[in-house]
Amino acid sequence: MTYRAPITEIQFLLDHVLDGARVAASDAFAEADAETCAAILAEAAKLAETQLAPLNTVGDLHPARLENGIVRTSPGFPEGYKAIAEGGWIGMAADTEFGGMGMPMVLTSAVNELLASACLSLSLNPLMCQGQIEAITAHASDALRALYLPKLISGEWSGTMNLTEPQAGSDVGALSSKAEANDDGSFAITGQKIFISWGDHDCAGNIVHLVLARLPDAPGGTKGISLFIVPKFIPDASGKPGAANSLRVVSLEHKMGLHGSPTAVMSYEGATGWMVGAPGGGMAAMFTMMNNARLGVGIQGLSQAELALQKALAFAAERKQGRSPIKGGTGMILDHADVRRNLMVMKSQTQVARAICLDCAISLDLAHAQSDPAMIARAAFLTPIAKAFGTDTGAEVASLGIQVHGGMGYIEETGAAQIYRDARITAIYEGTNGIQAMDLVGRKLADGGAAARALLDEIAITAKASPELAAAHKALVAATDWMLGAEMNDRAAGAQPYLRAFALVLGGHYLLKGAAIDDSRKPLADFHLRQPMAAVAGLCAAACQGAAPLYADALGA
């Protein structure tokens, strides 16, 4: 199977379902007209299909390795990274003042899907860079922006995010890394960080680490955390990589998947760094990067769902087993009802995940362009749904892809297993999906449910044409009311089923809108309404059970 970029599907969503023209109608993104966007998608598709897709299996079979303190990436990865950088894809959404394209997030997200489907391991590098660019743009001093942004945007240098420590995972406030002031305004950073994606490599001339650390007199918890730029090579007076900094790669993790992406344990030993933002402002700055990354990771999950779907469809159309159960059948397993049901689930969930992610991206663009509090809240509400549902979909669709392949799916040579192994981490990093769900029912409902109800009102209009969507919408409204009246731990107990219910109902909304434009889309919309979305009633019931049943069993502890 040869990967083909789904630009027709992306374009249909933008043109007919999500009203993407609103973005180009704003002054901020006036240059992102339909013709420009189509040309950019076509070029990204060419890069993904011809240069990056052949690297996917290579990265899996020939992982990055640490040799004498130097990380060597998979064969072809430096050339693939160079193609991404030279094409300007890293800085698509970045400020034109520093060399970026200034394109909207929705177009950047669409391009990122194509690059990630082609080679997820390699595409993780520019995704980290994009998040760092946004954080530095929003929070760093003019001097730091002038020095680092042009090089990050061009891809001459690349960037990482350093949060996690052995004792401080989701509880970032438990970190022990420290920062001590130097006489010249810089800081000495000491500590160890783990799970650092693309923490070191041979693709770029310098690697810029964003590191969370605590000043000596800072309070405990997240309020005492500051953020620092710590480059692998300290820039000299001309801005070029100079002396090696006091940091090193301790080891590379041996992972279930994403073998081509070097995930490092990093040690900072009095390394020179510069503060980004104000003292104690580290989490605010880092959340800028993480919010960018959460949508980006949702796109990663979507990308693997699309790849698994394409591979499973191709296999099912070529694999002959038994007799066809239908008149005039091809004799291939695509004729069999159960295989078709799996493929229909894969297709519907992939399309729903894409619509949610691109809707979130459009909302972010309009929030930026209009400074509209309602649109800002809409984007914030959709972000955890995009991340969690996008990545759950990636793993679930990849698993179904293995099932469609049968025993051949469990054999590495078919490539179906790699997709699952690569996709599985996306539901964990950048905040586990449980954390995303708790964020949804916590912070995102803290406005009294205004953002949730605004989305539910949009869905209610579409639901007038569908009894199934109307019933699911009613159940979701009731679950939202329950959440707003419940204690926080009771909300947390039902957070994941609530998030999934919201995603499935949004899916019915999007697919029905598409079917109203194109009759050929009606069968898939009907399938989603009657099968995947049929779970919404049960999910909403589960969401409203409260926490007590979870503590009734001691779980053998």
Coordinates of all heavy atoms in Angstrom, one line a residue, residues 157-189:
W157 N 17.9 25.3 13.3 CA 18.0 24.8 14.7 C 16.6 24.1 15.0 O 15.6 24.5 14.3 CB 18.3 25.9 15.7 CG 19.6 26.5 15.6 CD1 20.6 26.3 14.7 CD2 20.1 27.6 16.4 NE1 21.7 27.1 14.9 CE2 21.4 28.0 15.9 CE3 19.5 28.4 17.4 CZ2 22.1 29.0 16.5 CZ3 20.3 29.4 18.0 CH2 21.6 29.7 17.5
S158 N 16.6 23.2 15.9 CA 15.4 22.6 16.3 C 15.1 22.7 17.8 O 16.1 23.1 18.5 CB 15.3 21.1 15.9 OG 16.2 20.3 16.7
G159 N 13.9 22.4 18.2 CA 13.6 22.7 19.6 C 12.9 21.5 20.3 O 12.4 20.6 19.7
T160 N 13.0 21.5 21.7 CA 12.4 20.4 22.5 C 11.7 21.1 23.7 O 11.8 22.2 24.0 CB 13.5 19.5 23.0 OG1 14.2 20.1 24.1 CG2 14.5 19.0 22.0
M161 N 11.0 20.2 24.4 CA 10.2 20.6 25.6 C 10.7 19.7 26.7 O 10.7 18.4 26.6 CB 8.7 20.4 25.3 CG 7.8 20.7 26.5 SD 6.1 20.1 26.3 CE 5.7 20.7 24.7
N162 N 11.2 20.3 27.8 CA 11.7 19.5 28.9 C 10.9 19.7 30.2 O 11.1 20.7 30.9 CB 13.2 19.9 29.2 CG 14.2 19.4 28.2 OD1 15.1 18.6 28.5 ND2 14.0 19.8 27.0
L163 N 9.9 18.8 30.4 CA 9.1 19.0 31.6 C 9.4 17.8 32.6 O 9.7 18.1 33.8 CB 7.6 18.9 31.2 CG 6.9 20.1 30.5 CD1 7.2 20.1 29.1 CD2 5.4 20.0 30.7
T164 N 9.3 16.6 32.1 CA 9.2 15.4 33.0 C 10.5 15.1 33.6 O 11.6 15.1 33.0 CB 8.7 14.2 32.1 OG1 7.5 14.6 31.4 CG2 8.4 13.1 33.0
E165 N 10.4 14.7 34.9 CA 11.5 14.1 35.6 C 11.1 12.8 36.2 O 9.9 12.5 36.2 CB 11.9 15.1 36.8 CG 12.4 16.5 36.2 CD 12.8 17.4 37.3 OE1 12.9 17.0 38.5 OE2 13.1 18.6 37.0
P166 N 12.0 12.0 36.7 CA 11.7 10.6 37.2 C 10.6 10.7 38.2 O 9.7 9.8 38.3 CB 13.0 10.1 37.7 CG 14.0 10.8 36.9 CD 13.5 12.1 36.6
Q167 N 10.6 11.7 39.1 CA 9.6 11.8 40.2 C 8.5 12.8 39.9 O 7.6 12.9 40.7 CB 10.3 12.2 41.5 CG 10.6 13.7 41.6 CD 11.7 14.2 40.6 OE1 12.4 13.4 40.1 NE2 11.7 15.5 40.4
A168 N 8.5 13.4 38.7 CA 7.6 14.5 38.4 C 7.1 14.3 37.0 O 7.7 14.8 36.0 CB 8.2 15.8 38.5
G169 N 6.0 13.5 36.8 CA 5.4 13.3 35.5 C 4.3 14.3 35.3 O 4.5 15.5 35.1
S170 N 3.0 13.8 35.5 CA 1.9 14.7 35.4 C 1.9 15.8 36.5 O 1.4 16.9 36.3 CB 0.6 14.0 35.5 OG 0.5 13.0 34.5
D171 N 2.5 15.5 37.7 CA 2.7 16.5 38.7 C 3.9 17.3 38.5 O 5.0 17.0 39.2 CB 2.7 15.7 40.1 CG 2.8 16.7 41.3 OD1 2.6 17.9 41.1 OD2 3.1 16.2 42.4
V172 N 3.9 18.2 37.6 CA 5.1 18.9 37.2 C 5.6 19.7 38.3 O 6.9 19.9 38.5 CB 4.7 19.9 36.0 CG1 6.0 20.7 35.6 CG2 4.2 19.1 34.8
G173 N 4.8 20.1 39.3 CA 5.2 20.9 40.4 C 6.2 20.2 41.3 O 6.9 20.8 42.2
A174 N 6.3 18.9 41.2 CA 7.2 18.1 42.0 C 8.7 18.1 41.4 O 9.5 17.4 42.0 CB 6.7 16.7 42.1
L175 N 8.9 18.8 40.4 CA 10.3 18.8 39.8 C 11.3 19.3 40.7 O 11.1 20.1 41.6 CB 10.3 19.6 38.5 CG 10.1 21.1 38.5 CD1 11.3 21.8 38.9 CD2 9.7 21.6 37.1
S176 N 12.6 18.8 40.5 CA 13.7 19.2 41.4 C 14.8 20.0 40.6 O 15.8 20.4 41.3 CB 14.3 18.0 42.0 OG 14.8 17.1 41.1
S177 N 14.7 20.1 39.3 CA 15.7 20.9 38.6 C 15.8 22.3 39.1 O 14.8 22.9 39.4 CB 15.3 20.9 37.1 OG 15.4 19.6 36.5
K178 N 17.0 22.8 39.2 CA 17.2 24.1 39.8 C 17.9 25.1 38.8 O 18.6 24.6 37.9 CB 17.9 24.0 41.1 CG 19.3 23.4 41.0 CD 20.0 23.3 42.3 CE 21.5 22.7 42.2 NZ 22.1 22.6 43.5
A179 N 17.7 26.3 39.0 CA 18.3 27.4 38.2 C 18.9 28.4 39.2 O 18.3 28.9 40.1 CB 17.3 28.0 37.3
E180 N 20.2 28.7 39.0 CA 20.9 29.7 39.8 C 21.4 30.8 39.0 O 22.0 30.5 37.9 CB 22.0 29.0 40.6 CG 21.5 27.9 41.6 CD 22.6 27.2 42.3 OE1 23.6 26.7 41.5 OE2 22.6 27.1 43.5
A181 N 21.3 32.0 39.4 CA 21.6 33.2 38.6 C 23.2 33.3 38.4 O 23.9 33.1 39.4 CB 21.1 34.5 39.2
N182 N 23.6 33.6 37.2 CA 25.0 33.9 36.9 C 25.1 35.4 36.9 O 24.2 36.2 36.8 CB 25.4 33.3 35.6 CG 25.4 31.8 35.6 OD1 25.7 31.2 36.5 ND2 25.0 31.2 34.4
D183 N 26.4 35.9 36.9 CA 26.6 37.3 37.0 C 26.2 38.1 35.7 O 26.0 39.3 35.8 CB 28.1 37.6 37.3 CG 28.5 37.1 38.7 OD1 27.6 37.0 39.5 OD2 29.7 36.9 38.9
D184 N 26.1 37.4 34.6 CA 25.9 38.0 33.3 C 24.4 38.0 32.9 O 24.1 38.4 31.8 CB 26.7 37.4 32.2 CG 26.4 35.9 32.0 OD1 25.5 35.4 32.8 OD2 27.0 35.2 31.2
G185 N 23.5 37.7 33.8 CA 22.1 37.6 33.5 C 21.6 36.3 33.0 O 20.4 36.1 32.9
S186 N 22.5 35.4 32.8 CA 22.1 34.0 32.5 C 21.9 33.2 33.7 O 22.1 33.7 34.8 CB 23.2 33.3 31.5 OG 24.4 33.2 32.3
F187 N 21.6 31.9 33.6 CA 21.4 31.0 34.7 C 22.1 29.7 34.5 O 22.3 29.3 33.4 CB 19.9 30.8 34.9 CG 19.1 32.0 35.3 CD1 18.7 33.0 34.4 CD2 18.8 32.2 36.7 CE1 18.0 34.1 34.8 CE2 18.1 33.4 37.1 CZ 17.7 34.3 36.1
A188 N 22.5 29.1 35.6 CA 23.0 27.8 35.6 C 21.9 26.8 35.9 O 21.4 26.8 37.0 CB 24.2 27.7 36.6
I189 N 21.7 25.9 35.0 CA 20.6 24.9 35.1 C 21.1 23.5 35.4 O 22.0 23.0 34.7 CB 19.8 24.8 33.8 CG1 19.4 26.2 33.2 CG2 18.5 24.0 34.0 CD1 18.6 27.1 34.2

